[in-house]
Amino acid sequence: MTLDPPPAVLEVEELSLAIDTDEGRAGILDRASVKLAAGSIHGVVGESGCGKSTLLKAILGVLPKRSRILGGDIRLGQRSLLGLSPEAMQREVRGRAIGFIPQDPFQALNPVFRVDTQLMEPLAAHGFRPDDGLAPEDGGSMRGHLVSLLKAVQLPDAEQALRRYPHQFSGGQRQRLLIAAALACAPRIVLADEPTTALDVTTQLQILKLLHNLARQRRLSMIFVTHDFGVVAQLCDEVTVMYAGQTVESGPVRDVLDSPRHPYTRLLLACHPARQGELAGIPGSVPSALQPPSGCRFHPRCPQARLQCGAAPPSRVQVGAGREVACVLYGGAAE
Amino acid sequence: MGRFILRRMLFVVPSLLGLLVLTFVMLRVLPNDPSAALAGENATPAQIAAVRTAYGFDQPIWKQFAVYLKQVVHADLGTSIVTGRPVVADIALRLPATIELTFCALLFASAMGIPIGTLAAVWHNSVFDHAMRIVTVGGLAIAAFWFAIILQLVFSMSLDWLPLRGRISVGMPEPAPVTRLLLVDSLLAGRLGVFRDALLHLVMPALTLSLGGLASIARFTRAGVLDTLQKDFVGYAEAAGYRRSRIIWVYVLRNSVVAATTQIGLLFGALISSAVAVESIFDWPGIGSYAVKAILTSDYKAILAVTLVVGVIYAIVNIVVDIVHALLDPRVAESL
C-alpha cells in the first residue's frame, strides 16, 4: 500500500486561454495548473491581472465571449468540464457541484429583488421545489432551508432578513448572504473570488473565520483566490502562486511560506508588510498579456534569471511532498 | 408608501399653477381681440365694448386671473362657441375615448417594444439587432397620417377586415356608460358583440398611434438591457447557476424596466398629443379631434380646456410613474 495524496476533486491541468481583444490576442493563462484536494482549502495567490479570476471563470464555464481555450483540461472528479454543453454546465456544475462566492458583495446582489427571491433562484434552477426540505433541520420546506442557511452564516434575524432588499444590509452581511447562496444547493466544492477584498479589516477577519468553519463543518473543498499572502496563511491548507497567467509554485501553505522556492514567491512574500518592516517591492512591472515575455513570464524581472529562462517555459518539477515548482533553478528543464 | 404618494401629489401643485398661468397668458396673447371674436363678425364697436365688459376683459389682469382661477376650481371652463355646451361636458364625453385609445396604443407599444428591445440587446450587433435599429428609425420617422392612410387602404378598403373610422358601428347600441370606456363598459354589460365591434374599431387607430411609441420603447429597452447586462450581478447570477432565460427575462429586464417606466410615462403624454392627428384621420370621437375642430373654428375656450386637461393628465401620469418606480425599486421610495 502506498501513501498517495488524496485524489483531486477538481483539477485544472495545463490550461492555456486567450481573449481576443481589439488590440490583439491576450494570453491570459499559460499552462496554469491547480489541483484541489478533497476537503482542502486551496489558496490561489497573485497580483491583480495575473489571471486568477479568469481561472475561476474558466472552471465555471462563464468566460467572456471572445475568449478561447488553447489547451489543457479542467476535470471535476473524472469528468472533463471543457466538453460539457452550456446547459449541462448550468444544470450540473454551476451552483450545484460548485458554489461560487463573488468578490464584491455590494455589486453582486440584484438591487430590486428581495433576498429570498435571490436565494431561492439557484435552488429553483437546479430543480428543487418550494416544499423540498434539503436537510432534516429545515422543517421540510425550502424556506426553512434558507432560514437554516442564514443561521449557518450567522446572519441575525434570519426570518426577517429573507424579506429585505440587499441595500438594507451592510457589506459584511451581504457577503454572508452570498456565502449562504453559494451553499444553497449543498455543493461539495466552493470557489471564492477575493471574497473579503471589498470589506473593511475587522469584517474581513470575521468572514474568513466563517468560511474556515463552514469549510471544515461541511467538508467542503475550496479554492480561495486572493492577492494577500496573509489571508492564505490564515485560511488555507495549500497554495498555488500565479504570475502573469502561469502557475509558478504550489504546495502546502506552511512549506511554501517557510521555504519559498520560486524567485517570484520569495519576492512576493518579501513584499508582505507583516513579514518585512518596510515594503520591499519587485523591480519592473507586470507584463501586458498582449505581449507576454517568452518562456517563464517572470524572467525579465527575475534576479536569478538565466539565458534559458526566456527560451521556453519551464516544466513543473516535484520538490518535496506535494510541492511543485516551475523554474529552471530546480531542474525544470525548458521544454 | 402613503406618505410618499401624498408628497408626490403636493409636488404637482406648483406645476398645475404654472399650467394655469400659461393657459391664461395664451388666452391674453391671442392675436385677435377675444371680445371682437365673441361679438361676431358684424359687431359694432359698442357691441364689442359691451362684450368686453360682460366678460371682464376690461378688468386688471390679476383680477382676471383670479376669476379664471375660480372658474377652473369650479370646473367651469366656459361654453364652446361651436357646440353651445359647457366645454367641461364636451371633454368629459370625449376624454374616455382618447384615454382608451392612448392606453391601448401604449399597451401594444410596450408589449411589442420591450421584448424586441430586449432581444436586440441580448443579440447585440446581430442581424436582428441591426434590422431592429433600421425598422425603429423608420418607425420614428414615418408620419402617422401616412401610415394611417396605408392601413385604411389595405385593411378597410381592399380587404374589408377592419372598420374604416369611428369608435363603434353605426346602429350598434352603446352599452350603459359606467366608465365611458367602451371596451370596459361592454364587458361590464356582458355584451361581447359590442366589445368585438369596439375592439375592431380600435385596432387601426391604436396601431397607428403606437408606432412611434413602439420604436422608442424598443430603443430605450435595448439601451437599458445592454447597460444592465454589464452589471456585476448579471455575471454573478450566471456563475451561481441561474438559468439563462431567467437571468434575461426576470433579473435583467426588471432592472431595465425600472428606468424605462419614466420614459413610458413621458410617452403616454406624447401619445395624447399625437392623438390629435390620429383621431382626426380615423374620426375617433376623442379630445384630439375635438381640439382640431376647436382650432379650426377659433373656439378658444375649448382649446384652452383641452390644453389644461392634457396638462393635468401629464401631471397624473407623472405621479403614477413615480409610484410605479418606487414599487419596482425599493431604493427609490426610501431616498425620497
Side-chain angles (χ1 to χ4, degrees):
Chain A
M1 187 180 148
T2 51
L3 208 73
D4 286 330
V9 286
L10 178 69
E11 186 171 6
V12 178
E13 195 181 65
E14 307 258 299
L15 188 70
S16 294
L17 181 153
I19 297 180
D20 291 325
T21 70
D22 293 335
E23 292 102 69
R25 177 174 285 193
I28 305 293
L29 294 179
D30 181 27
R31 307 186 317 153
S33 300
V34 175
K35 213 177 273 181
L36 175 63
S40 111
I41 304 180
H42 193 121
V44 173
V45 68
E47 292 164 86
S48 41
C50 74
K52 25 188 220 299
S53 292
T54 306
L55 188 75
L56 296 190
K57 285 190 182 133
I59 295 170
L60 293 167
V62 291
L63 288 163
K65 260 202 187 113
R66 296 209 283 176
S67 51
R68 59 191 70 227
I69 297 203
L70 305 173
D73 200 2
I74 301 169
R75 276 193 303 273
L76 179 67
Q78 300 299 312
R79 197 174 182 198
S80 168
L81 294 185
L82 293 183
L84 284 188
S85 69
E87 291 74 27
M89 283 300 290
Q90 183 269 318
R91 212 172 43 238
E92 296 167 33
V93 179
R94 292 198 289 271
R96 188 68 181 97
I98 305 178
F100 174 68
I101 305 170
Q103 179 168 7
D104 188 348
F106 294 94
Q107 306 298 325
L109 289 161
N110 193 315
V112 301
F113 287 90
R114 288 178 204 274
V115 166
D116 51 1
T117 314
Q118 298 189 60
L119 286 182
M120 214 73 97
E121 191 65 36
L123 289 161
H126 296 104
F128 295 98
R129 300 264 164 277
D131 48 358
D132 285 350
L134 293 154
E137 69 273 17
D138 296 342
S141 75
M142 208 189 260
R143 205 165 183 90
H145 175 63
L146 294 185
V147 169
S148 68
L149 272 175
L150 293 197
K151 283 182 179 151
V153 297
Q154 294 158 23
L155 205 73
D157 297 328
E159 309 260 0
Q160 275 102 33
L162 283 175
R163 283 191 293 274
R164 284 154 69 189
Y165 289 94
H167 70 277
Q168 295 167 315
F169 294 90
S170 71
Q173 288 173 327
R174 288 190 219 190
Q175 198 52 278
R176 287 171 196 272
L177 288 172
L178 289 163
I179 293 169
L183 301 177
C185 300
R188 309 302 311 146
I189 299 170
V190 170
L191 308 184
D193 186 5
E194 304 211 33
T196 57
T197 307
L199 306 172
D200 63 64
V201 185
T202 49
T203 317
Q204 274 188 23
L205 207 64
Q206 292 168 1
I207 296 289
L208 288 179
K209 273 186 186 152
L210 175 71
L211 277 175
H212 188 264
N213 293 339
L214 284 171
R216 293 290 182 254
Q217 283 161 15
R218 297 179 179 232
R219 299 169 175 278
L220 300 173
S221 314
M222 187 188 297
I223 290 183
F224 190 97
V225 161
T226 179
H227 61 266
D228 186 347
F229 240 124
V231 170
V232 172
Q234 285 178 318
L235 181 73
C236 301
D237 307 308
E238 291 171 280
V239 64
T240 295
V241 182
M242 282 187 80
Y243 178 79
Q246 295 177 328
T247 45
V248 296
E249 179 164 8
S250 64
V253 169
R254 276 268 71 84
D255 297 353
V256 173
L257 285 176
D258 290 345
S259 58
R261 298 292 177 87
H262 197 280
Y264 176 67
T265 315
R266 288 186 195 156
L267 286 166
L268 191 66
L269 280 168
C271 287
H272 201 271
R275 292 204 140 220
Q276 201 100 1
E278 58 194 80
L279 276 173
I282 306 173
S285 58
V286 179
S288 152
L290 284 168
Q291 279 158 335
S294 58
C296 170
R297 289 183 175 182
F298 188 59
H299 84 266
R301 299 170 78 187
C302 181
Q304 289 161 279
R306 302 173 183 183
L307 205 60
Q308 69 202 94
C309 292
S315 56
R316 289 175 292 146
V317 284
Q318 288 264 345
V319 287
R323 287 196 68 178
E324 285 183 345
V325 60
C327 179
V328 292
L329 294 176
Y330 305 94
E335 288 160 7
Chain B
M1 198 64 196
R3 282 188 51 185
F4 170 75
I5 295 170
L6 201 72
R7 201 141 70 196
R8 291 307 302 148
M9 287 170 85
L10 283 178
F11 278 133
V12 169
V13 173
S15 340
L16 287 185
L17 264 177
L19 184 66
L20 284 171
V21 171
L22 202 69
T23 48
F24 178 72
V25 169
M26 277 165 64
L27 171 91
R28 300 306 302 162
V29 298
L30 279 180
N32 46 349
D33 184 353
S35 318
L38 279 170
E41 269 174 44
N42 302 320
T44 61
Q47 283 172 317
I48 293 175
V51 168
R52 186 170 290 132
T53 321
Y55 279 82
F57 290 139
D58 52 349
Q59 300 282 325
I61 197 95
W62 62 268
K63 225 174 196 170
Q64 289 186 43
F65 184 68
V67 171
Y68 176 61
L69 211 59
K70 201 174 147 199
Q71 286 173 337
V72 170
V73 169
H74 289 94
D76 173 15
L77 297 175
T79 305
S80 162
I81 322 172
V82 180
T83 62
R85 306 188 321 143
V87 288
V88 172
D90 278 347
I91 288 174
L93 213 58
R94 288 170 159 269
L95 188 59
T98 299
I99 302 272
E100 191 167 61
L101 173 62
T102 314
F103 188 78
C104 288
L106 198 63
L107 206 65
F108 180 76
S110 304
M112 297 295 292
I114 291 176
I116 289 175
T118 307
L119 288 177
V122 171
W123 297 328
H124 181 45
N125 279 337
S126 67
V127 177
F128 178 84
D129 186 25
H130 294 308
M132 190 282 275
R133 259 185 285 179
I134 292 166
V135 171
T136 52
V137 168
L140 288 172
I142 289 175
F145 65 85
W146 181 82
F147 185 68
I149 290 168
I150 297 294
L151 283 181
Q152 285 178 324
L153 282 175
V154 174
F155 292 102
S156 295
M157 315 291 258
S158 297
L159 295 170
D160 199 22
W161 287 354
L162 295 167
L164 185 61
R165 60 158 72 100
R167 201 179 170 204
I168 191 163
S169 298
V170 179
M172 179 69 75
E174 289 196 23
V178 182
T179 58
R180 290 201 184 276
L181 305 170
L182 277 185
L183 292 180
V184 178
D185 285 352
S186 60
L187 282 183
L188 284 178
R191 290 170 51 191
L192 294 178
V194 180
F195 179 80
R196 186 173 175 277
D197 187 66
L199 194 63
L200 287 178
H201 277 84
L202 190 64
V203 171
M204 286 197 300
L207 199 64
T208 308
L209 193 57
S210 72
L211 198 64
L214 195 161
S216 45
I217 289 178
R219 289 168 77 87
F220 59 65
T221 303
R222 175 182 179 275
V225 169
L226 269 183
D227 188 50
T228 311
L229 282 174
Q230 305 300 318
K231 293 272 163 61
D232 275 6
F233 60 74
V234 177
Y236 168 71
E238 206 174 6
Y242 292 22
R243 280 195 205 97
R244 181 83 180 148
S245 56
R246 294 273 298 168
I247 295 175
I248 300 296
W249 297 105
V250 178
Y251 288 90
V252 170
L253 196 56
R254 171 75 176 270
N255 280 270
S256 314
V257 163
V258 169
T261 43
T262 317
Q263 313 241 32
I264 293 179
L266 289 176
L267 261 182
F268 189 78
L271 286 191
I272 284 189
S273 319
S274 336
V276 171
V278 175
E279 285 184 5
S280 297
I281 300 165
F282 290 99
D283 203 14
W284 189 262
I287 55 167
S289 51
Y290 182 68
V292 169
K293 272 174 214 152
I295 290 166
L296 292 176
T297 54
S298 294
D299 189 354
Y300 76 95
K301 291 264 182 188
I303 300 170
L304 284 180
V306 170
T307 313
L308 203 59
V309 165
V310 171
V312 170
I313 290 174
Y314 253 104
I316 293 172
V317 166
N318 266 318
I319 297 176
V320 172
V321 163
D322 282 342
I323 293 169
V324 170
H325 207 162
L327 286 175
L328 287 177
D329 189 341
R331 292 166 301 174
V332 174
E334 281 171 29
S335 66
L336 280 166

